Amino acid sequence: MHADAEKIEAFFSDTKAWPTELRALRAILLDCGLAEEFKWRGPCYTYDGGNVAIIWGFKENAALGFFRGVLLKDPEGLLVAPGDNSRAVRMFKFTGLDQITAIETTIRDYVREAIELEKAGAKVDLPKDDIVYPEELLAALEEDPELQEAFEALTPGRKRGYALHFAQPKQSATRVSRIEKSRDRILAGKGLQER
């Protein structure tokens, strides 16, 4: 069995959050012709190597996310952003298998549209990063050339994730602590959530 296949099977057999709903979403995605890979600690659905969709089992709901969700037409307004700072991803949220079954045709339509966007090479037009780096990060980068070089080499999304994470606490000492705790991860070129 391929390493990804083993991890995916383990994910579905071990998940305690919304297992029935996640399996139903998986069946739909695979039936729509997407390949299944293991990325970011869970199953990711791709077309010709490009990320199209991902499923999550959160505490409060199961979710089907689209990497370029902001480009989907979404005529019924069913998609939501996963968080306040999400710029491209949009997702469906489900709290029961009956909700998935009720809109399965719509889900399949969205998946087909997402595949067509991938085939067309569609890109989300993200404005230049509008994130203001906290003073503590700017000071750390200035004091540590190795950290600065590694931080600048990160992808825009990884930099954005760190900047938001570092800016969140009200206390300067907490911001400094978060930067220090993230140093090794940044030097390794990894994002905030990557192992």
Side-chain angles (χ1 to χ4, degrees):
M1 187 182 277
H2 188 271
D4 270 6
E6 289 176 9
K7 290 177 183 176
I8 290 166
E9 291 310 316
F11 173 89
F12 283 105
S13 61
D14 295 343
T15 189
K16 307 227 181 325
W18 311 100
T20 306
E21 292 76 9
L22 293 178
R23 285 187 190 96
L25 293 169
R26 176 191 199 194
I28 292 168
L29 293 165
L30 292 174
D31 191 51
C32 287
L34 292 173
E36 190 174 50
E37 299 180 34
F38 193 83
K39 298 181 181 184
W40 306 291
R41 293 182 256 152
C44 177
Y45 298 86
T46 63
Y47 180 85
D48 200 22
N51 297 330
V52 173
I54 192 163
I55 56 175
W56 298 288
F58 295 119
K59 187 177 183 179
E60 58 281 341
N61 59 268
L64 166 59
F66 294 97
F67 288 92
R68 291 175 197 80
V70 296
L71 300 179
L72 295 172
K73 292 181 183 89
D74 193 22
E76 299 175 48
L78 300 173
L79 297 176
V80 296
D84 293 340
N85 296 304
S86 299
R87 301 193 300 174
V89 174
R90 295 296 179 267
M91 65 185 189
F92 288 111
K93 290 182 176 182
F94 303 103
T95 56
L97 183 60
D98 57 326
Q99 293 174 338
I100 295 169
T101 307
I103 65 163
E104 182 174 342
T105 301
T106 302
I107 294 170
R108 288 175 181 276
D109 290 343
Y110 281 55
V111 172
R112 281 191 280 279
E113 184 183 351
I115 291 170
E116 290 306 312
L117 289 169
E118 180 60 34
K119 284 181 185 178
K123 302 280 185 218
V124 176
D125 185 23
L126 298 174
K128 281 289 184 195
D129 213 338
D130 56 350
I131 297 296
V132 177
Y133 293 169
E135 290 177 28
E136 295 82 0
L137 176 59
L138 295 173
L141 295 176
E142 191 172 311
E143 293 168 12
D144 186 342
E146 184 182 18
L147 181 64
Q148 182 172 14
E149 183 179 339
F151 190 80
E152 292 306 321
L154 293 173
T155 63
R158 288 181 176 129
K159 284 193 258 190
R160 180 179 175 82
Y162 279 118
L164 290 167
H165 177 66
F166 298 153
Q168 194 175 32
K170 290 181 175 34
Q171 301 283 329
S172 178
T174 307
R175 292 192 290 270
V176 169
S177 174
R178 282 189 177 189
I179 293 165
E180 289 170 357
K181 287 178 184 173
S182 299
R183 186 177 189 277
D184 290 343
R185 188 177 297 281
I186 292 169
L187 292 178
K190 293 182 176 181
L192 191 59
Q193 303 300 325
E194 292 175 81
R195 290 184 180 210

